[in-house]
Amino acid sequence: MNYRTGKILLITSLLLLPAAFSPARGEEPAFSYTHIHREGSVSTMETGRVETREKSSKKTTHYDISVNLPSSPAAGGLLYPYLAKNGLPGDVHRRRGESDVYGYGVTAAFRNKKGWGLLNREGHEIVPAFWDSMSYEGNGLFQVKKGKKISYITADGRVAFPDREEGPSFYREKGKYGILDDRGNRVTAPLYREVLAPFSEGIAFVQLSDGRKGGIDGSGKLLFTAEFDSVGPYEDGLAEYRRKVNRFNWGTLAGAVLGGLGGSGGGDEMLPLSYDGVKRGYLDRQGRIVVDSRSDEVYPMTEWGTFVKDHGLLGFVNRKGEYIIPPGRYDLSGGRLYEEEGLVTLRDKEKGKMGAFRLEDGRQVMDFLYDRITFLGKDRVLYEMGGKTVLSGESGVIRELPSGAVMQPYSEEGLAWLEEGKKIHALDREGKILFTLPEGEAARPFRHGLAPVKSHGLWGLVDIHGQWVKSPLYKDVQMM
């Protein structure tokens, strides 16, 4: 692939699921799309949340398109919330596989005072509101929680049971742990003082009777020893380890980037992030340190790698620990990481301007000339330069937008919401306003021809013509 720096921006086409984006006017979605490695014990979910936990493919298909950007300061920008000084790029557009939930007749989850339920493709309630939380596990199966009880249901609300996880597991006897095979037969006697992380990708972390910590295989063979305070299961060849420190917490990780400790990428969402003060590092399957926790700051792992800050300089390393973007005086605040496209926007501390890099090889694809940059998918980009806000495409500038306008990424229908003052417009790919919501306090992106819209404090669904399909009746509606 040939990439020209300077005024050429390369964008890979992007199909983004609507529920993965924050709504217009600063509404915070309760829906989070998170890749969860499901080996080991069942994860506990927060009350009042709906999640999708489907595993996604790591295979990337690139469709590179050149978008010409003007060299003169005649372009504009998109206003997004300013994040903490130590934040990972303001939002992370996570890679996700195509959800199969629509094939089971489900289009959205809704919440009222009784809890969460499900809506079908026509917007009718097919599972009444009842559950404190709900997560889609794939293959038409939903994990639901009521109080402290976790169970499973199908798309029509019937009780169901998940398939048993294959592979070895642990049992406890007389205060120690041993290994069982996938049929429940004992493989080892109770040998281990503690199980530190369950089997994942054929390796588990344990503490041995002599106090050492390390990784073992399903037969109990010790593969390596390592030093850490805590560790998570392997995901895609990497395991996150942590060490304790007494220091000020710089921020909070807004949502579970990687399903908690041990995540290593492949999540399916866009999340606002900030560095959380955790002294983390990453081990490969041989127990070798590929990202050292002794660096000043190590950020959560993505599919492409992670940011590492040391001695005041910030760089990006790949999943082998090799620098892709060499350390420099970069600021993550106001930036964004697009995992599907393999792009990131950063701010140059000295110039105070935004630029963009390709994560595959660290090539800079936009110079540090812009006040703001936002990739919108569907071969579209919104940027700010010289005080003007511009929507641009493959052939150049499409239209200038009102200063400070907020625009969401395009959905698969080729529609995007534009907020202009107190008005919310639906734009097509050519920047044409198709309709303006007659009433609406917030809107979320379209999915399968429907979009959640908030009016008078309640959420409903509108179609691609702006007509109510489901009147605003709910505390929340999230597309699935």
Side-chain angles (χ1 to χ4, degrees):
M1 294 182 291
N2 295 319
Y3 286 79
R4 289 180 294 169
T5 57
K7 311 305 179 289
I8 303 294
L9 169 64
L10 302 182
I11 302 178
T12 47
S13 61
L14 176 64
L15 294 178
L16 291 172
L17 293 182
F21 299 97
S22 301
R25 306 196 181 186
E27 289 291 329
E28 291 295 332
F31 217 9
S32 66
Y33 285 99
T34 306
H35 171 86
I36 301 293
H37 190 85
R38 295 180 56 202
E39 291 191 85
S41 60
V42 176
S43 299
T44 301
M45 302 170 294
E46 294 182 20
T47 299
R49 295 185 65 84
V50 178
E51 302 178 350
T52 291
R53 296 183 174 186
E54 293 179 280
K55 294 183 179 180
S56 59
S57 170
K58 299 298 178 198
K59 184 177 180 181
T60 306
T61 302
H62 294 283
Y63 300 95
D64 295 315
I65 296 171
S66 297
V67 178
N68 296 316
L69 301 179
S71 57
S72 61
L78 178 62
L79 181 63
Y80 279 89
Y82 183 84
L83 293 178
K85 174 181 176 181
N86 296 323
L88 194 66
D91 295 294
V92 178
H93 295 255
R94 304 310 300 260
R95 171 185 302 283
R96 41 169 324 164
E98 181 68 21
S99 173
D100 67 344
V101 67
Y102 190 75
Y104 289 90
V106 177
T107 190
F110 71 93
R111 180 170 66 92
N112 62 23
K113 61 182 180 181
K114 294 181 179 180
W116 286 97
L118 295 174
L119 300 175
N120 67 10
R121 299 173 183 175
E122 290 74 39
H124 303 310
E125 297 180 14
I126 51 175
V127 174
F130 175 76
W131 306 102
D132 294 336
S133 63
M134 177 182 293
S135 66
Y136 184 55
E137 302 289 315
N139 299 318
L141 193 66
F142 296 80
Q143 185 187 90
V144 291
K145 183 179 179 183
K146 188 67 174 180
K148 295 182 178 180
K149 183 180 179 181
I150 294 176
S151 53
Y152 294 83
I153 62 172
T154 59
D156 58 3
R158 292 180 298 169
V159 176
F161 298 94
D163 294 334
R164 187 182 186 277
E165 294 286 351
E166 297 181 356
S169 58
F170 290 94
Y171 71 94
R172 186 178 184 184
E173 184 177 291
K174 296 181 180 179
K176 291 189 176 182
Y177 296 85
I179 300 174
L180 300 174
D181 64 20
D182 55 7
R183 295 184 178 182
N185 300 316
R186 291 193 179 195
V187 176
T188 72
L191 301 173
Y192 309 110
R193 182 184 297 181
E194 188 176 357
V195 176
L196 304 174
F199 280 101
S200 176
E201 300 178 1
I203 300 175
F205 286 95
V206 297
Q207 184 176 33
L208 306 175
S209 58
D210 60 8
R212 291 180 298 160
K213 299 173 182 178
I216 61 172
D217 64 16
S219 69
K221 178 183 177 181
L222 180 64
L223 302 175
F224 56 82
T225 60
E227 294 184 4
F228 46 74
D229 289 309
S230 60
V231 68
Y234 278 97
E235 286 198 42
D236 303 316
L238 293 179
E240 180 183 311
Y241 73 95
R242 297 182 179 183
R243 61 187 178 90
K244 297 177 182 177
V245 291
N246 294 318
R247 58 173 292 175
F248 176 77
N249 189 338
W250 287 100
T252 58
L253 191 61
V257 187
L258 310 163
L261 180 62
S264 56
D268 298 328
E269 60 195 306
M270 180 192 74
L271 291 171
L273 306 172
S274 62
Y275 181 67
D276 54 4
V278 171
K279 299 299 293 185
R280 61 168 58 83
Y282 291 91
L283 302 172
D284 66 14
R285 289 176 52 82
Q286 287 71 47
R288 296 182 298 233
I289 294 175
V290 295
V291 181
D292 200 324
S293 66
R294 291 176 295 181
S295 298
D296 292 342
E297 297 174 3
V298 175
Y299 291 73
M301 187 64 66
T302 72
E303 175 179 337
W304 297 94
T306 188
F307 286 97
V308 176
K309 186 176 183 180
D310 210 14
H311 298 95
L313 300 179
L314 183 77
F316 190 89
V317 299
N318 63 17
R319 295 177 64 86
K320 296 180 181 179
E322 303 163 337
Y323 272 101
I324 301 300
I325 302 176
R329 293 185 56 79
Y330 302 127
D331 187 357
L332 293 180
S333 61
R336 286 173 174 251
L337 188 150
Y338 297 78
E339 191 167 48
E340 176 117 10
E341 295 162 312
L343 295 168
V344 66
T345 57
L346 300 175
R347 186 180 302 277
D348 184 288
K349 286 185 175 181
E350 296 180 356
K351 296 181 179 180
K353 298 293 184 178
M354 302 293 295
F357 291 84
R358 190 176 68 171
L359 297 176
E360 183 177 15
D361 55 12
R363 187 185 296 264
Q364 188 168 359
V365 295
M366 291 184 71
D367 288 339
F368 290 109
L369 298 172
Y370 304 91
D371 297 313
R372 300 188 189 276
I373 303 169
T374 301
F375 305 130
L376 297 175
K378 296 292 184 182
D379 320 328
R380 295 295 181 262
V381 62
L382 193 73
Y383 62 89
E384 178 181 334
M385 180 185 285
K388 293 184 179 180
T389 303
V390 168
L391 174 65
S392 186
E394 183 178 6
S395 59
V397 173
I398 294 174
R399 63 168 292 185
E400 185 176 329
L401 299 174
S403 178
V406 175
M407 190 171 174
Q408 295 180 17
Y410 281 92
S411 67
E412 68 266 27
E413 291 86 359
L415 298 179
W417 293 114
L418 167 69
E419 179 190 351
E420 180 184 1
K422 296 183 178 181
K423 296 181 179 180
I424 300 178
H425 311 287
L427 265 63
D428 65 12
R429 282 172 37 81
E430 304 309 314
K432 178 183 177 181
I433 295 178
L434 301 179
F435 61 86
T436 300
L437 292 176
E439 52 180 336
E441 301 162 9
R444 292 173 178 152
F446 282 92
R447 176 67 172 158
H448 297 302
L450 299 175
V453 172
K454 188 177 184 181
S455 178
H456 302 292
L458 296 175
W459 289 87
L461 291 172
V462 300
D463 61 20
I464 58 175
H465 306 291
Q467 302 299 312
W468 289 106
V469 172
K470 189 70 175 182
S471 298
L473 301 172
Y474 304 116
K475 291 184 177 181
D476 203 355
V477 172
Q478 300 284 353
M479 303 304 293
M480 299 192 72

